Amino acid sequence: MIIKPMIRSNICINAHPAGCARETERQISYVKEQKQKRGTKSVKEGGRGPATVLVLGCSTGYGLASRISAAFEYGSDTIGVSFEKEPSETRGGTPGWYNNMAFDRAAGKDGLKAVTLNLDAFADETRTAVIDEVKKWGKTIDLVVYSLASPVRVDPDTKVMYRSVIKPEGKEYSGLTVDMMTGKMLTASAEPATEEEVRNTVKVMGGEDWARWIKTLTEAGVLSQGVRTVAYSYIGPELSHAIYRNGTIGAAKKDLEATALRLNKQLEAALGGCAYVSENKGLVTRSSAVIPIISLYLSIMFKVMKGKGTHEGCIEQMERLFAERLYTGENSAAGIPQTDSEHRIRIDDLEMDPGTQSEINKRMAKVTEENLNELADMKGYKHDFLAINGFDVPGVDYEKDVTRMDVID
């Protein structure tokens, strides 16, 4: 069959196996190039970076980029956890399934140990599976990356399912958005969240599950002395705060940041370890395209940052997070990251540069459908949107017949 992107309401609902694999391989190649440029020594080469890494939410975006950075720059053995739809011979799976296949194949070729668990990271049974795997390896975990993004979570104790929403708090929010496939601009609105929706979103996307993972791993004795853990968040510009930072998602992210402070104290006392939240750059995700103002902001931000030579994608962000924030000690040993006044790592520094934000604001104030392509990078935004699902990836023949949906070649 010939596979073309199927897009419904700014969401792509299918994936191209070979395209996903090629995009994952591109990120791996980038990290290997950076390893050479930086002169980073892998663990096998005598480097002192993380030897064993657990990535929760390993299949796409920042989680996948983190796993790639750990494995292919520092030589880490990795355990990845994600919950993906498995393909059959005739029916496609989720992009993350193919990304994981490509990662595992590349890691095996390079002699890196990699185990990917297709399990619900919120479930206690998954924690048990990870602990069993680490003990089977006879190792302990040096780094835990928490990069989960799910619309639902089942509480392990009560078995109640909670759902997250992307809504403002207090009053309705309206903002311009853009259809990346047509370039049409329209106003999108979101009703204010109820108190229950806020609580539920915090339950799904806040710090409770992260804390449960660290507590369980600590009690099982599978964390290394000096272990560190990092979770990912986003602050963004003031113009998006009403729908994001001051909305339901923001409430969850603030809870995540508060959790990092508690975990930092606990890990320091127990293992001489530490915990951080990294505030990352805004990027195209499978959900960002449907949030009011975000798609328009990102497309303009891409144009401005590419013009300045400061634009980064997921892999550039995570490679820099590891090399210039987390592992800055001698011979890539764990260093002490520079943080802001709230103990947050700011790898969003290039996006939030005052000059960059000033130029973005100027363009946001005067953008129309007529000048959209002049002021915004719609081509780049559309590419990133499609590439997440394995489309528009250089080097892939999209006219080639795909005979099986459960392989990546």
Side-chain angles (χ1 to χ4, degrees):
M1 71 187 79
I2 304 299
I3 305 173
K4 300 294 183 181
M6 299 171 59
I7 298 170
R8 305 286 186 272
S9 302
N10 269 5
I11 297 175
C12 189
I13 60 175
N14 66 335
H16 195 289
C20 290
R22 180 61 64 89
E23 176 62 15
T24 299
E25 291 162 359
R26 180 195 67 80
Q27 295 186 50
I28 291 171
S29 294
Y30 172 82
V31 165
K32 288 183 174 182
E33 291 169 3
Q34 289 298 106
K35 179 182 186 302
Q36 294 300 317
K37 289 179 181 178
R38 295 184 187 274
T40 306
K41 290 183 178 180
S42 70
V43 174
K44 289 182 180 179
E45 295 167 335
R48 296 171 59 198
T52 307
V53 175
L54 169 63
V55 182
L56 304 168
C58 68
S59 62
T60 60
Y62 282 127
L64 175 62
S66 298
R67 194 180 188 193
I68 289 171
S69 296
F72 295 99
E73 184 160 357
Y74 297 89
S76 310
D77 293 331
T78 62
I79 297 175
V81 178
S82 66
F83 204 21
E84 305 299 329
K85 175 188 173 185
E86 183 175 355
S88 67
E89 186 173 337
T90 58
R91 298 191 64 176
T94 51
W97 178 273
Y98 301 120
N99 296 341
N100 286 339
M101 287 181 70
F103 176 91
D104 289 345
R105 182 173 68 180
K109 286 182 179 178
D110 282 16
L112 298 168
K113 188 175 291 187
V115 170
T116 303
L117 302 175
N118 190 39
L119 298 170
D120 178 7
F122 294 133
D124 282 344
E125 292 80 5
T126 303
R127 288 176 247 275
T128 299
V130 168
I131 290 166
D132 289 346
E133 189 65 36
V134 175
K135 288 183 175 180
K136 186 166 65 177
W137 289 9
K139 296 185 175 183
T140 53
I141 300 167
D142 303 307
L143 172 67
V144 178
V145 174
Y146 190 86
S147 184
L148 295 180
S150 171
V152 298
R153 173 180 174 233
V154 176
D155 186 290
D157 295 323
T158 65
K159 307 306 179 185
V160 173
M161 177 181 286
Y162 295 90
R163 295 185 180 276
S164 63
V165 297
I166 302 173
K167 290 185 177 183
E169 289 192 59
K171 61 181 180 180
E172 180 183 74
Y173 175 80
S174 295
L176 286 173
T177 190
V178 61
D179 185 319
M180 88 254 338
M181 303 306 293
T182 66
K184 295 293 183 182
M185 292 175 57
L186 56 123
T187 299
S189 300
E191 294 292 326
T194 66
E195 291 184 5
E196 182 180 11
E197 286 176 321
V198 175
R199 289 194 300 269
N200 289 352
T201 303
V202 172
K203 192 80 172 178
V204 176
M205 302 186 70
E208 183 176 279
D209 181 69
W210 184 25
R212 194 180 186 100
W213 266 103
I214 298 304
K215 180 176 185 291
T216 305
L217 296 171
T218 302
E219 291 175 348
V222 295
L223 296 181
S224 302
Q225 191 70 27
V227 65
R228 46 188 44 198
T229 183
V230 60
Y232 298 141
S233 185
Y234 181 62
I235 295 176
E238 187 175 348
L239 62 87
S240 72
H241 283 187
I243 188 66
Y244 198 93
R245 188 66 185 177
N246 297 331
T248 54
I249 299 297
K253 295 303 186 182
K254 291 169 187 175
D255 183 77
L256 191 75
E257 292 161 11
T259 300
L261 294 174
R262 295 194 299 271
L263 290 179
N264 193 62
K265 292 180 180 178
Q266 293 168 13
L267 286 174
E268 184 177 20
L271 295 164
C274 51
Y276 300 98
V277 163
S278 175
E279 303 291 352
N280 300 338
K281 175 178 179 285
L283 293 170
V284 181
T285 68
R286 299 183 78 189
S287 62
S288 64
V290 298
I291 306 174
I293 211 70
I294 296 297
S295 58
L296 183 60
Y297 165 78
L298 290 176
S299 61
I300 290 177
M301 183 257 283
F302 284 10
K303 185 91 166 189
V304 172
M305 294 189 73
K306 287 178 181 179
K308 289 175 172 285
T310 58
H311 179 69
E312 295 174 313
C314 281
I315 195 63
E316 291 85 2
Q317 277 267 287
M318 293 300 95
E319 193 279 333
R320 188 160 68 94
L321 172 66
F322 275 62
E324 299 182 10
R325 298 294 191 274
L326 295 175
Y327 295 99
T328 57
E330 184 179 357
N331 205 8
S332 299
I336 301 175
Q338 180 181 355
T339 59
D340 65 13
S341 60
E342 297 182 51
H343 187 69
R344 303 175 300 196
I345 297 173
R346 301 301 298 269
I347 207 73
D348 63 347
D349 50 344
L350 300 179
E351 175 188 354
M352 301 312 296
D353 169 74
T356 296
Q357 285 298 312
S358 175
E359 179 60 26
I360 293 171
N361 288 336
K362 290 177 184 176
R363 296 184 182 213
M364 288 289 292
K366 62 183 181 181
V367 67
T368 64
E369 281 188 13
E370 288 69 30
N371 63 18
L372 179 63
N373 287 316
E374 175 189 348
L375 300 180
D377 181 20
M378 290 306 300
K379 182 178 178 180
Y381 185 94
K382 181 179 178 180
H383 165 76
D384 285 4
F385 172 80
L386 292 171
I388 291 171
N389 294 273
F391 297 103
D392 200 38
V393 177
V396 178
D397 182 0
Y398 290 102
E399 300 304 319
K400 181 179 178 180
D401 184 48
V402 177
T403 57
R404 295 184 59 134
M405 293 298 296
D406 57 348
V407 296
I408 52 178
D409 289 326

